[in-house]
Amino acid sequence: MAKTIVVKQIGSPIRRPARQRETLIGLGLNKMHKTRELEDTPSIRGMIAKIPHLVEVVEERG
């Protein structure tokens, strides 16, 4: 089983640059307080690092 992380959206994409909105969509997030379980890869971690004010890592599994 691969490592996974649970990511939660904590900020609104309203009045944010288009790149940040696209990053949220790329993570599968589009509504406040929505969570997604994603594979823990360097690309996912990089996306999270680009928008730390909009998302938080809730849990790391595996």
Side-chain angles (χ1 to χ4, degrees):
M1 178 85 184
K3 289 185 176 182
T4 60
I5 55 176
V6 177
V7 181
K8 180 179 181 180
Q9 182 177 344
I10 59 169
S12 174
I14 296 172
R15 296 177 56 193
R16 300 287 179 192
R19 296 288 291 197
Q20 292 180 7
R21 290 194 301 267
E22 291 167 0
T23 303
L24 274 176
I25 292 168
L27 289 171
L29 301 170
N30 60 353
K31 294 184 180 172
M32 292 290 294
H33 308 294
K34 186 174 180 181
T35 60
R36 286 288 311 262
E37 185 172 350
L38 302 167
E39 194 172 341
D40 190 7
T41 63
S43 62
I44 296 295
R45 288 287 183 165
M47 292 171 80
I48 292 169
K50 290 285 185 178
I51 52 170
H53 54 288
L54 298 178
V55 298
E56 71 177 357
V57 176
V58 178
E59 183 180 350
E60 297 184 22
R61 298 180 183 165

